[in-house]
């Protein structure tokens, strides 16, 4: 029976007073008059909670601020991830323990290296291992999903995958992996009924059911519903922090645009060179023994790189408001140590030597020379750009030419921001900025048109934060790279932290994994110092954060409090950051109002 | 002809006015009365300058302060090392980077083992390697000089050689080394012009010029002269900063005591395990697959380690003033990643497996597991001590038992300070301090005697400096480890910086190599922040610096200004630091006096 109107009105009043949907106990007297006996918060799925919040605002029982504060930002993620097509036929290849939720489809890879190569070539990878060790972590970072034959909920694979937010199935004990040393492309995942799944075949992981399935069975993620869109609209109106995406490929960019971002905060250019037809040219460039030879290869890479940027500028132009400026696209110049582009195994070295017509020994020698004791602290980032000016000059030229091409097509100039990675000295920035300006001038002279761009730095060494006062006047923006900044501030490599981190978090030596939750006391203190010194010497400095932490609500709150302009995170997490940014603004306004009332 | 007395008096007056020895032009009139026509500073060798300074002070023409300010501290080093006969014919076999000053002659050795054998047979050895790794350190300890074909000023060879005070030339890229596996006596050093120098041939290294020369060309080292001793005595009376030595072995300690130090600021314990009879036990400990097995090996290592410390305490007791306290000895607990103790080459792995009666495959597997992407940022320092409590507990026990043994022999307690490396979190220090205290209590109960000790930290991660306010109340001392702090603040590995650093310094991207000259702007700012926060929360905190920078006059001046209590450097450089500390005190007093006069 429908409760009488008076009962509904009382319930609505109770919800309005407590500012959240409630489960309410009412008693009706003989005349049908209600009285309230008890009430408790209603446990709802995120989707239902959003619906309730939107309804209560529409009914006038809830403010928009209160509605926004009701939703746990992290919970939004479940609405955005892809899921397995419910109508698909499930051909189970292996079952195990559901160790990290979500679903992923990708090409089967049997080694961390294969997973990395696969991801670099732009295809999702599912990494299947007997078990994982810290040596596999780089492959797990690259993989869309992880499957292991051994281990339980607390195994290395399970812990790392949950940390990464990657679907994972462990302990698929009935399956086997055949792996031929040195030839990972010849192995197989063998199912309990004896079928052999070859590397490169598509498989799908259901991390919630604990199953590996044949084929690619994903549906695209649930389209943001009406209530979701309503709430995100309120969040966007309320937040003061801009939210950008870390996106390198047109695909990632399209996801970002669909889910809503204010621009691109980190476009890594190295991924653009792992495409099979480009990687050989890249390797040839690295192995070139003279400047002229290197220049000749870079000439061939230039149109490819220009094409990448043109695509990116066009997509972002379409995403921006039709009038006004195009959304900014922050492009990071080449960052990783060169040896990452070279094959590590004997077979790969031989194939490369053959392709380039060079002796195997000389390729091996060069690869050996490039090897470093601590690549994280080696010749990478702007140190590469300084050692090989022609690489960054090619990239700058590709950006400028693509910007002019895009403007010719769309009618308005894109807004590229060139980001220089791993700066640790003021003179690095001065030197590179000068070279970039010279390229801009040359392109302008050739094309007879002006290019608009900014140059800024990725603040990821402690020294860049400490020298912010000198770096800020030379920069249009600072983007704090909290991954590396955390590694260097702790003196702890993320790739090597694996088991150590688990022990440390379990023993409560660290309260939380600092690569998951931004360390406010140490890294945060350094960031604050950088923001203060930077702003004091360049009030117009645009300040952002572009690490893995970018979408974590506590990091977003930290950035809002520290006076950041934006955070940048992976496309799927952008809505989380937008909601978290709105909540941070609300919380700060409430605190300010409380302070004002106190006085 | 001797100038008349009036002329000498005038010259002495001119020197007294200008406070330095001068080259003076005088004219004598017909009556022999002098007039001064011109004067310029006299360019003298350090030895002659010291003699002149001591003479002028004795004559009353110069204050002691002025005499001390006259001597370039770095120049003192040349007095302490042997030098090459200036009349000898220099037949250059190879040129490279001058990485550690001084000269040495010895027999060419191509492996660390050969160098050790040579030294044992009573002949000096020059160790020539393609590059060095921690496995070569025992050979470097034995060698009189080190030559490498690869690496720069900050390579492993260069850093270790400087620490040992051993002449070193690195990056002799044009030379080659031929080495036959298993038959080092059959290889050769091949010069750029194709000459083959055989193992056992005499060669001379000029570490200041960066050259390897044919034959034995040395003159004996100059014993510290009377003037040197006089000036150093004045410096000691004048300086406020204490100077300690980085010394790991009784030999280094004896050098330190001979050249004059106020204690040991850094005694690294890892070198104690590279001795051939200990390294196998150490490796057995690392490969142990259970806590009990590890404990059993540590039981065997305990008496060796205790013996090391007993020797060190006794030498330092002898060095201290006969009344008063024994000089402090700061002992750093085990720091390097464990894989550094394992053999890297197949033959070594096989030999180890054989010695331990384990299958080769399991030794290889364990070595692989321990390998890290970025060992510098990996499982080392106190992270080891937390993961394997029994290692630090053994070391603490060895220190405490040795201290009581030493006290029984010498009649006064030594003054050990236990230094915990690579701290990045407060809880690490809390945890380890508790475990050390428990060991102390156990030893005290067993022996019925009290042990006196301090516990402090090596401040070498940026986070430790940032959290100094929380770490200081738990520490008796902070010792800033500027090598690692510089690496992490710049995000630049010393081992990998080699060629990059040369390019950067040449192109003036860096004003100076920050591993040679402390970077005041970045690293220095972080240190100052650490000192201020530390002192504010523990006014009795003893603050020192123990990196390679310890003896550089500009670093000493920085430390004096920042309110440090001591610097610690390699024994041969201690006199430099003592003189630099005196100059810093004089300069600060002069500046304060000038400020006071201004007011």
């Amino acid at each position: 029976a429908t409760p009488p109107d008076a009962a509904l009105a009382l319930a609505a009043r109770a919800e309005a007073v407590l500012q959240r949907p409630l489960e309410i106990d009412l008693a009706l007297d003989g005349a049908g008059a209600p009285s309230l006996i008890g009430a408790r918060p209603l446990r709802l799925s995120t989707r239902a909670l959003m619906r309730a919040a939107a309804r209560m605002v529409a009914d006038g029982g809830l403010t928009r601020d209160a509605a926004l504060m009701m939703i746990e930002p992290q919970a939004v993620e479940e609405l955005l991830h892809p899921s397995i097509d419910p109508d698909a036929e499930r051909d189970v290849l292996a079952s195990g323990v559901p160790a990290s939720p979500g679903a992923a489809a990708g090409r089967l890879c049997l080694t961390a290296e294969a997973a990395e190569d696969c991801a670099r070539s732009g295809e999702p990878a599912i990494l299947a291992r007997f078990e994982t060790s810290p040596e596999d972590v780089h492959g797990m970072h690259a993989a869309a999903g992880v499957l292991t034959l051994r281990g339980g909920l607390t195994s290395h694979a399970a812990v790392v995958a949950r940390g990464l937010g990657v679907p994972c199935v462990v302990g698929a004990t009935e399956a086997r992996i055949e792996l031929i040393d040195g030839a990972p492309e010849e192995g197989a995942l063998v199912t309990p009924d004896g079928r052999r799944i070859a590397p490169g075949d598509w498989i799908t992981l259901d991390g919630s059911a604990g199953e590996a399935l044949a084929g690619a069975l994903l549906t695209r993620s649930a389209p943001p519903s009406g209530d979701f869109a309503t709430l995100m609209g309120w969040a966007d109106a309320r937040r003061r922090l801009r939210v950008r995406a870390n996106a390198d490929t047109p695909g990632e960019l399209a996801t970002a645009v669909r889910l809503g971002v204010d621009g691109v905060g980190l476009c890594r250019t190295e991924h653009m060179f792992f495409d099979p037809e480009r990687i050989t040219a890249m390797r040839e460039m690295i192995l070139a023994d003279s400047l002229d030879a290197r220049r000749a290869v870079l000439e061939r890479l230039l149109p490819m790189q220009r094409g990448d940027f043109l695509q990116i500028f066009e997509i972002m132009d379409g995403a921006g408001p039709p009038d006004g400026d195009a959304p900014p696209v922050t492009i990071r110049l080449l960052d990783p140590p060169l040896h990452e582009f070279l094959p590590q195994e004997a077979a790969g070295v031989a194939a490369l030597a053959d392709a380039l017509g060079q002796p195997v020994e000389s390729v091996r020698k060069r690869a050996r020379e490039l090897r470093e004791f601590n690549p994280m602290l080696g010749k990478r980032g702007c140190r590469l750009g300084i050692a090989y000016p022609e690489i960054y000059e090619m990239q700058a030229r590709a950006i400028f030419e693509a910007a002019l091409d895009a403007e010719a097509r769309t009618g308005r100039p894109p807004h590229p921001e060139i980001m220089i990675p791993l700066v640790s000295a003021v003179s690095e920035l001065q030197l590179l900025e000068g070279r970039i300006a010279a390229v801009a001038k040359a392109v302008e002279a050739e094309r007879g048109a002006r290019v608009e761009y900014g140059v800024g730095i990725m603040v990821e060494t402690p020294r860049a934060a400490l020298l912010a006062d000198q770096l800020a006047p030379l920069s249009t923006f600072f983007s704090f790279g909290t991954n590396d900044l955390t590694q260097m501030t702790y003196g702890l490599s993320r790739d090597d932290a694996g088991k150590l981190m688990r022990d440390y978090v379990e023993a409560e030596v660290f309260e939380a994994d600092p690569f998951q939750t931004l360390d406010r006391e140490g890294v945060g203190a350094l960031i604050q110092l950088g923001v203060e010194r930077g702003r004091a010497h360049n009030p117009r400095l645009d300040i952002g954060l572009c690490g893995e932490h970018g979408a974590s609500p506590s990091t977003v709150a930290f950035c809002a409090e520290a006076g950041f302009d934006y955070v940048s995170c992976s496309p799927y997490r952008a809505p989380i950051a937008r909601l978290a940014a709105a909540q941070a603004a609300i919380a700060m306004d409430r605190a300010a109002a409380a302070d004002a009332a106190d006085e």
Side-chain angles (χ1 to χ4, degrees), chain A:
Chain A
T2 316
D5 286 349
L8 288 178
L10 182 60
R13 228 169 60 233
E15 288 189 328
V17 168
L18 291 175
Q19 293 274 294
R20 54 181 312 142
L22 299 171
E23 188 181 339
I24 290 177
D25 305 325
L26 294 172
L28 300 180
D29 66 10
S35 55
L36 200 147
I37 295 176
R40 60 209 76 82
L42 194 52
R43 288 191 185 280
L44 293 172
S45 72
T46 306
R47 200 179 295 271
L49 199 59
M50 284 189 156
R51 185 162 312 134
R55 175 199 31 93
M56 285 174 68
V57 172
D59 290 352
L62 200 66
T63 64
R64 288 183 178 183
D65 277 7
L68 289 170
M69 293 305 270
M70 252 170 50
I71 317 293
E72 173 63 45
Q74 297 281 23
V76 171
E77 197 164 12
E78 78 189 41
L79 303 182
L80 307 170
H81 269 307
S83 56
I84 292 182
D85 182 353
D87 299 329
E89 195 183 318
R90 295 173 74 99
D91 174 6
V92 178
L93 302 175
S95 332
V97 180
S100 177
R107 293 190 181 276
L108 178 64
C109 297
L110 301 181
T111 65
E113 290 69 32
E116 271 198 320
D117 289 347
C118 180
R120 279 179 187 145
S121 73
E123 297 242 60
I126 302 293
L127 175 62
R129 300 283 289 160
F130 181 66
E131 64 187 331
T132 62
S133 74
E135 288 215 312
D136 295 308
V137 170
H138 63 117
M140 300 178 73
H141 273 277
V146 176
L147 168 69
T148 69
L149 307 192
R150 200 175 131 175
L153 275 178
T154 57
S155 63
H156 179 264
V159 172
V160 174
R162 280 198 299 274
L164 295 173
V166 162
C168 179
V169 177
V170 297
T173 49
E174 313 248 296
R176 277 191 304 122
I177 286 178
E178 286 178 7
L179 194 53
I180 294 137
D181 210 17
E185 66 285 0
E186 287 176 23
L189 172 69
V190 184
T191 66
D193 58 6
R195 281 183 291 164
R196 301 171 57 84
I197 316 299
D201 286 358
W202 280 91
I203 72 168
T204 300
L205 278 195
D206 184 338
S208 311
E211 289 178 343
L213 309 162
L217 309 182
L218 282 206
T219 58
R220 45 176 189 70
S221 61
S225 75
D227 298 320
F228 172 85
T230 304
L231 269 124
M232 291 312 297
W234 296 340
D236 291 341
R238 194 63 177 85
R239 67 189 163 97
R240 292 185 285 263
L241 212 53
R242 285 174 276 130
V243 173
R244 299 199 198 167
N246 301 345
D248 311 335
T249 63
E252 285 171 2
L253 219 65
T255 303
V257 168
R258 180 168 61 83
L259 294 176
V261 293
D262 305 314
V264 172
L266 175 62
C267 174
R268 286 164 289 224
T269 52
E270 50 270 21
H271 296 163
M272 300 172 180
F273 296 110
F274 281 104
D275 183 276
E277 63 175 306
R278 296 179 184 191
I279 186 81
T280 305
M282 189 69 186
R283 288 169 171 174
E284 197 178 337
M285 195 275 291
I286 293 166
L287 296 171
D289 47 13
S290 74
L291 177 58
D292 282 346
R294 202 154 48 233
R295 282 230 174 94
V297 189
L298 286 166
E299 279 295 317
R300 279 165 31 217
L301 285 168
L302 172 65
M304 304 180 194
Q305 182 94 94
R306 185 173 54 218
D308 296 328
F309 295 137
L310 177 57
Q311 247 187 314
I312 287 168
F313 292 146
E314 286 190 305
I315 295 174
M316 282 319 290
D317 181 79
D323 43 2
D325 290 341
V329 179
T330 305
I331 298 167
R332 184 175 73 183
L333 300 181
L334 198 70
D335 180 55
L338 293 182
H339 69 81
E340 284 197 8
F341 295 96
L342 294 182
Q344 300 304 321
E345 308 205 349
V349 170
L352 176 60
D354 192 44
L356 301 182
Q358 291 191 9
V360 171
E361 190 38 53
S362 80
V363 172
R364 195 180 302 137
K365 181 158 175 285
R366 181 80 178 120
R368 224 182 4 240
E369 282 170 6
L370 287 172
R371 218 179 291 151
E372 295 181 300
F373 293 104
N374 295 284
M376 169 65 49
L377 306 177
K379 192 165 179 176
R380 65 182 192 94
C382 70
R383 294 164 194 163
L384 280 181
I386 286 176
Y388 307 105
E390 54 282 4
I391 299 179
Y392 277 14
E393 281 166 4
M394 179 279 278
Q395 293 198 295
R397 173 171 283 272
I399 292 169
F400 297 140
E401 292 182 353
L404 293 176
D405 291 349
E407 187 178 354
R409 291 201 198 176
T410 64
R412 73 173 163 181
H415 181 27
E417 293 183 333
I418 299 180
M419 178 149 74
I420 300 179
L422 209 73
V423 168
S424 68
V426 178
S427 47
E428 289 172 328
L429 177 56
Q430 286 168 328
L431 193 69
L432 294 172
E433 204 157 35
R435 289 185 193 157
I436 292 167
V439 174
K441 203 164 260 179
V443 172
E444 286 178 338
E446 287 159 24
R447 298 281 194 106
R450 241 183 98 65
V451 290
E452 297 289 342
Y453 70 98
V455 174
I457 63 170
M458 187 136 170
V459 180
E460 51 189 337
T461 67
R463 197 168 189 270
L466 292 163
L467 268 69
D469 49 343
Q470 297 180 48
L471 291 163
L474 303 169
S475 305
T476 19
F477 64 91
F478 276 1
S479 181
F480 285 88
T482 52
N483 296 354
D484 278 16
L485 197 57
T486 300
Q487 300 192 76
M488 291 172 196
T489 303
Y490 275 87
L492 180 59
S493 143
R494 196 176 53 172
D495 288 332
D496 298 309
K499 173 151 182 329
L500 177 84
M501 188 61 77
R502 200 167 61 201
D503 293 348
Y504 260 46
V505 174
E506 267 173 26
E508 292 178 12
V509 180
F510 289 169
E511 278 172 44
D513 178 346
F515 297 117
Q516 306 276 332
T517 307
L518 185 76
D519 157 47
R520 286 196 178 208
E521 284 189 318
V523 180
L526 201 52
I527 292 174
Q528 261 169 321
L529 189 147
V531 170
E532 281 158 25
R533 293 189 181 174
R535 277 270 159 71
H537 291 80
N538 177 1
R540 301 182 51 201
L541 193 70
D542 204 30
I543 296 183
L545 179 150
C546 67
E548 293 271 307
H549 303 95
S552 130
S554 69
T555 305
V556 171
F558 167 82
C559 290
E561 289 160 25
F564 274 61
D565 297 295
Y566 69 91
V567 294
S568 188
C569 59
S570 65
Y572 274 110
R573 313 190 85 186
I576 303 175
R578 284 155 62 201
L579 181 54
Q583 293 187 350
I586 295 167
M588 285 168 71
D589 290 350
R590 286 182 180 172
D595 282 354
D598 276 356
E599 275 162 21

